[in-house]
Amino acid sequence: MSAPPPARTALVTGASSGLGRIIAAGLARAGLAVAVHGRDAERLAATAADVEGAGARCAVVTADVTDVEQVRAAVDRAEAALGPIDLLVSSAGVIEAEEVPLWEADPQQWRTVVEADLLGPFHCARAVVPGMLERGGGRVVDLNSGAGVKDNALYSAYGAAKAGLFRVGGALHAAGYERGLRAFELAPGVVRTPMTAAMPVHEGRTEWTEPEDVVALVVAMARGQLDPWSGRMLRAGVDTAPALRERAAAGLPERARTLGLLPYGPDDPLA
């Protein structure tokens, strides 16, 4: 089985602002054509200007990631404009407006977060991955979070969605790796964006992850430099592409950086 070639055409969801816009522009500077995806055409036009200003081809496709038919139509439009998508970056997402424990959470807001952050990436992968597999492979990058791998008293919907998203990426890896599919969970750290700046938990924060650190990892994934890390979580601001390549060359334990149950010892029947 051969690895998929470096990506040439990307679809970036949530590209109208924040990390999605940052990543779209970064991929354009790296030489990829980029389809920018979101709900607001006017805001996407500003991202498209960033992409085209970097000398890359761009397509603007509007859709709500929670609507499977809108997503399918958006993917069709993107591929008609730019050609086959071989890199999907699922960046669209929201977080609860209130920092409360689960039993005080608003049920509708909880549902909204899970639909955007978990169902949305599923819809996007469902629309893009079959074409990737027909062509011999491709790459999917989920913008995940440390909140998906550790318990938190607050933001229960966000944590649940991100943990589920890790399982989505793991399912893509398990089912698609032998067919050339690579899937990554990327925790971006805390980049200063409109969403993070508005969160009370970050009030007074002085240390932020540099956007360039996130872009560098996504570009390395797009180029196939981090394929041994498929099915695993990477963290911008802590991991670097050279260090990850060096570690992979030395060998990765089977369950390293994956989501799983920690046994209490070698005699644990669930180990």
Side-chain angles (χ1 to χ4, degrees):
M1 179 205 63
S2 59
R8 296 183 297 177
T9 304
L11 171 66
V12 181
T13 74
S16 59
S17 67
L19 276 173
R21 180 173 180 176
I22 291 167
I23 290 169
L27 289 170
R29 292 192 297 272
L32 279 75
V34 183
V36 295
H37 171 286
R39 292 180 296 177
D40 189 321
E42 185 174 343
R43 295 171 70 194
L44 284 175
T47 305
D50 294 342
V51 171
E52 292 169 346
R57 294 186 300 134
C58 184
V60 174
V61 290
T62 56
D64 184 336
V65 293
T66 67
D67 186 314
V68 66
E69 295 304 326
Q70 288 188 32
V71 169
R72 178 67 263 176
V75 169
D76 288 344
R77 294 195 303 274
E79 294 194 325
L82 300 178
I85 293 166
D86 46 20
L87 174 68
L88 168 64
V89 181
S90 282
S91 178
V94 296
I95 196 167
E96 296 98 308
E98 298 177 327
E99 294 183 339
V100 295
L102 182 143
W103 58 86
E104 295 179 14
D106 175 78
Q108 185 54 53
Q109 188 176 99
W110 215 92
R111 177 185 291 273
T112 296
V113 171
V114 172
E115 288 181 345
D117 295 4
L118 179 56
L119 194 61
F122 161 71
H123 287 160
C124 295
R126 183 66 181 80
V128 172
V129 167
M132 290 181 175
L133 295 176
E134 288 177 4
R135 297 184 294 271
R139 295 178 178 86
V140 175
V141 180
D142 293 325
L143 266 289
N144 208 300
S145 171
V149 297
K150 61 185 178 183
D151 293 329
N152 193 309
L154 309 173
Y155 299 120
S156 58
Y158 185 75
K162 293 302 185 180
L165 183 57
F166 208 143
R167 281 290 178 243
V168 168
L172 291 173
H173 169 81
Y177 189 86
E178 295 300 321
R179 299 177 62 185
L181 185 66
R182 305 291 182 264
F184 308 88
E185 302 304 300
L186 175 59
V190 186
V191 178
R192 190 177 184 91
T193 66
M195 186 179 85
T196 57
M199 294 168 62
V201 71
H202 296 312
E203 185 177 355
R205 174 181 285 273
T206 58
E207 295 184 3
W208 302 84
T209 306
E210 293 297 328
E212 294 79 8
D213 293 341
V214 181
V215 170
L217 288 178
V218 176
V219 169
M221 293 174 196
R223 290 173 173 167
Q225 297 172 355
L226 301 180
D227 280 358
W229 291 89
S230 178
R232 306 171 191 264
M233 177 172 277
L234 313 179
R235 206 283 199 178
V238 174
D239 291 324
T240 66
L244 290 168
R245 292 196 299 269
E246 182 179 352
R247 186 64 188 85
L252 295 173
E254 181 181 359
R255 297 177 65 182
R257 295 285 187 93
T258 62
L259 187 64
L261 185 70
L262 292 175
Y264 60 64
D267 57 337
D268 188 338
L270 296 185

